[in-house]
Amino acid sequence: MTNSVESKKITLNNPKDMTMEEAQSLAEKIAYVEAGVKKMKEHLKMFVELNGPVEVGDLVWDKHPSQSWQWTTEAKRSFAEMIAIEGMNPWEYISFSSADLKKLGWSDSVISQYAKSKINNSFRSKKKDN
């Protein structure tokens, strides 16, 4: 069984000449395409789980491993000590993630006494605040 995909023509106007309505239409089309890509990836993932990797050109769609590390409090301390024993400054290698800092429950004004804030603006969509 095949699913038909509704075709939507995408016309890109010069951003300087676009109206708000044209920009909104473009944003709707982007959301539509991204939702479609997400659904297609879910289907391809199920196929790969059932049948194995899919090769297309120089790409291989499969489950590829990624590595992360889980640290106990004691292990973090020992690791920092080993870096120092090697003659390096452990604080040049150890960082604090935003998620970890949020767990502290401290305000930005408290954290800013110790660290410089860096704000990155990434172009993406997000849900409206209600």
Side-chain angles (χ1 to χ4, degrees):
M1 171 168 53
T2 57
N3 294 330
S4 65
V5 177
E6 183 182 332
S7 167
K8 290 192 175 191
K9 184 176 180 185
I10 298 175
T11 304
L12 298 177
N13 299 326
N14 185 329
K16 294 186 288 186
D17 300 330
M18 286 175 66
T19 65
M20 180 57 73
E21 291 77 22
E22 290 171 326
Q24 289 171 331
S25 175
L26 183 59
E28 286 176 345
K29 289 173 183 173
I30 290 169
Y32 176 81
V33 169
E34 286 179 346
V37 168
K38 180 178 178 184
K39 195 60 142 171
M40 288 187 288
K41 284 182 178 180
E42 289 170 3
H43 276 66
L44 183 58
K45 179 181 174 186
M46 286 188 278
F47 178 89
V48 167
E49 288 172 354
L50 294 169
N51 301 289
V54 173
E55 293 186 28
V56 180
D58 61 349
L59 298 175
V60 177
W61 290 88
D62 196 3
K63 286 187 173 180
H64 299 281
S66 62
Q67 185 174 27
S68 62
W69 302 91
Q70 301 292 317
W71 300 85
T72 65
T73 302
E74 179 60 29
K76 289 177 184 177
R77 185 189 63 74
S78 296
F79 191 70
E81 286 177 355
M82 284 304 299
I83 293 171
I85 289 169
E86 292 288 325
M88 297 173 280
N89 181 351
W91 307 117
E92 291 179 13
Y93 301 93
I94 297 172
S95 63
F96 304 99
S97 71
S98 293
D100 287 340
L101 293 174
K102 284 181 182 179
K103 289 178 194 174
L104 291 171
W106 295 353
S107 69
D108 288 350
S109 62
V110 171
I111 296 171
S112 69
Q113 295 174 33
Y114 301 92
K116 181 180 176 184
S117 175
K118 180 181 176 186
I119 305 291
N120 292 317
N121 291 310
S122 60
F123 182 75
R124 59 184 165 74
S125 62
K126 71 176 212 175
K127 295 283 184 190
K128 290 182 191 176
D129 294 329
N130 290 330

